[in-house]
Amino acid sequence: DALSALEEVLDGRPCARDKPIWVTETGVGGPHVGDERSPKEESIRADCQALNVALRRWDKDPRVDAAIQYTFRDDPVFPVGLADAELTKEWPAYQLFKAWGGARNPDGPPPALPHACRA
């Protein structure tokens, strides 16, 4: 996976070996810059489920100190936000982030997949 590949590259450099990792944009949505996010419900839920897999993977990795979602609203060129560009609809991933944050103990078990993300 991408995280293992990153760790391998970092560990190959003495100055980066065993350094913590921050995931600085966890976003889901269009698979490539400039692609549109699919409006189909099954695709939107699949995005949320993929993000859930990634969050669980990062949570288990002792080197990952932070996973940050900077983008709240979709940018038409980089649609990885938690709501559409017009802020009229939140994506299921928003409920996922709320489940991972808030009152949840950071050292506790991963939260259940929110209903909005389920098929």
Side-chain angles (χ1 to χ4, degrees):
D1 73 336
L3 181 58
S4 296
L6 173 63
E7 288 173 335
E8 185 177 328
V9 169
L10 291 174
D11 289 345
R13 301 185 53 86
C15 64
R17 187 172 296 125
D18 299 322
K19 296 293 184 197
I21 296 170
W22 287 15
V23 179
T24 58
E25 181 57 77
T26 63
V28 297
H32 304 288
V33 173
D35 284 0
E36 291 184 18
R37 182 191 297 262
S38 171
K40 295 181 180 175
E41 287 298 321
E42 68 183 31
S43 177
I44 292 168
R45 285 192 303 273
D47 290 344
C48 187
Q49 292 165 12
L51 178 59
N52 186 54
V53 169
L55 288 170
R56 287 171 176 267
R57 166 71 172 94
W58 300 329
D59 186 52
K60 289 189 317 190
D61 192 305
R63 283 182 76 174
V64 177
D65 279 352
I68 302 160
Q69 173 69 28
Y70 287 113
T71 308
F72 183 79
R73 158 182 107 106
D74 275 347
D75 179 316
V77 177
F78 194 56
V80 298
L82 301 177
D84 68 351
E86 293 78 28
L87 297 175
T88 59
K89 177 178 177 140
E90 70 182 39
W91 304 122
Y94 180 59
Q95 294 302 317
L96 181 63
F97 271 102
K98 286 172 57 177
W100 275 89
R104 178 184 162 270
N105 180 340
D107 296 323
L113 186 65
H115 181 25
C117 296
R118 297 182 198 155

